[in-house]
Amino acid sequence: MELAKSFEPSEIEKRWRDTWEKNGYFRATLDENKPAFAIQLPPPNVTGTLHMGHAFNQTIMDGLVRYHRMKGFSTAWIPGTDHAGIATQIVVERQLDAQKISRHDLGREKFLEKVWEWKEHSGSTITGQMRRMGTSPDWGREYFTMDADRSKLVADVFVRLYEEGLIYRGKRLVNWDPVLGTAVSDLEVVSEEENGSMWHIRYPFADGSGSVTVATTRPETMLGDVAVAVNPADERYANLVGKMLILPLTGRQIPVIADEYVDKDFGTGCVKITPAHDFNDYAVGMRHNMEPTNIFTLDAKINENGPEAYQGMDRFAARKQIVADLEAQGYLVRIDPHKLMVPRGDRTGVIIEPMLTDQWFVAMSKPAPENSPHFPGKSLTEVALEKVANGEIRFLPENSVILRILPMLFCSSHPTWLHTLPVKPSA
């Protein structure tokens, strides 16, 4: 045969790749008499294709796995893909938008079918790219984070912890994306400075003795006010604490309270408190045992807790009407231009709404019941820290300062404790 004028790697790589997989060279070896070396592939999201970061870290993992195979270790590299719920939903919704269809038009079941179709397409694209790279995981053990075994395991652990009182549900304020219809993390919120307004509004006293003026950048949220706060060290308002105000446009009475959160030197020194729609106000409300009043539906329209005239209106349409009504009724003092930080969802670009919703929580410091089969009388924090202290869990390199404090950070704020629990594998 005539020697090719240039090297064409694709045909040679494909031939060897097929040979390797056909002969099972990458299958995990299980031998208790040999030292073990295992890597679980951090599963790439099924939302597109691999990028250079994937290629870089998979090359490192592949080198480590091949090295330990050749050293005679009992070796396993487990591949998989991740569902990436919100990101996948966005991709599928954009595909539907191109066809002038929304997920609401399809309905839940049909939309889920479309999501699974995309998962099969995108997931196979990603694993095909890994194979083309020549990576050597055990493809017979490939997993998906929402397949039957993984889903059953998550449900089993969730139910067990719930029955032991270590998982509970409660109302908490979250970053809510009205377009996605879901809570998003702080990392998914992008805050940028924008030009806005500061509305100064007069709140009259219920006894007719005068009024106080508050300033806000979100006048629509006043419908959910539960108090007006002043600094306890502010002598201007010391004699007003405890008095009742009439909340404009609603007729509800709300108290004047004292709280150190208020900066007496900023604005008028009076701050409206709306616990259901502001994170700082939520903390103030909790300190004063105030019941939050949620005035928005999950798609950011005024709900039944607002005056009838505004119910069903979009939050920004309601803002315009509320400002107009405040001015007509003599409550609007003035409007000043104001630069403010506006939080937007990094995927949709929509303004994020702090929303009071039902959320699930893990009781990290609460001891498990004495009859718990796994860690009676101990909290999840204690169990996780003990496993780090006794060497069952190790962070490498051990001289890294950040890795020394990671156990404490994780145990206090992130559900990585699930990986420390003794779980019976599914059949």
Side-chain angles (χ1 to χ4, degrees), residues 341-354:
M341 300 300 291
V342 178
R344 294 182 180 273
D346 66 349
R347 291 188 173 93
T348 62
V350 70
I351 294 178
I352 294 297
E353 188 65 52

Side-chain angles (χ1 to χ4, degrees), residues 16 61 63 71 75 99 126 131 168 176 180 200 235 238 244 262 265 270 293 306 339 342 363 388 390:
W16 282 114
M61 285 184 277
K71 291 279 287 184
T75 307
Q99 305 171 42
I126 288 171
R131 284 177 160 93
Y168 62 96
W176 187 263
L180 288 178
H200 295 257
E235 297 179 356
M244 300 301 292
V262 180
D265 297 320
C270 297
T293 300
K339 287 188 178 294
V342 178
V388 173
N390 65 23

Side-chain angles (χ1 to χ4, degrees), residues 334-374:
R334 69 178 190 273
I335 306 173
D336 295 333
H338 182 73
K339 287 188 178 294
L340 67 159
M341 300 300 291
V342 178
R344 294 182 180 273
D346 66 349
R347 291 188 173 93
T348 62
V350 70
I351 294 178
I352 294 297
E353 188 65 52
M355 191 79 76
L356 197 63
T357 61
D358 286 319
Q359 300 291 323
W360 289 102
F361 296 89
V362 179
M364 299 303 300
S365 57
K366 177 184 176 181
E370 291 297 333
N371 63 351
S372 169
H374 302 292

Side-chain angles (χ1 to χ4, degrees), residues 56-82:
F56 175 71
N57 66 39
Q58 288 173 14
T59 298
I60 294 174
M61 285 184 277
D62 193 50
L64 288 168
V65 169
R66 289 176 184 269
Y67 171 79
H68 285 88
R69 275 200 201 101
M70 291 189 290
K71 291 279 287 184
F73 280 56
S74 184
T75 307
W77 185 11
I78 311 300
T81 50
D82 188 21

Side-chain angles (χ1 to χ4, degrees), residues 237-249:
Y237 303 115
N239 63 327
L240 301 182
V241 175
K243 293 192 70 171
M244 300 301 292
L245 299 165
I246 299 293
L247 180 61
L249 308 182

Side-chain angles (χ1 to χ4, degrees), residues 117-128:
E117 286 175 11
W118 170 251
K119 178 267 169 185
E120 293 301 323
H121 167 74
S122 183
S124 60
T125 298
I126 288 171
T127 54

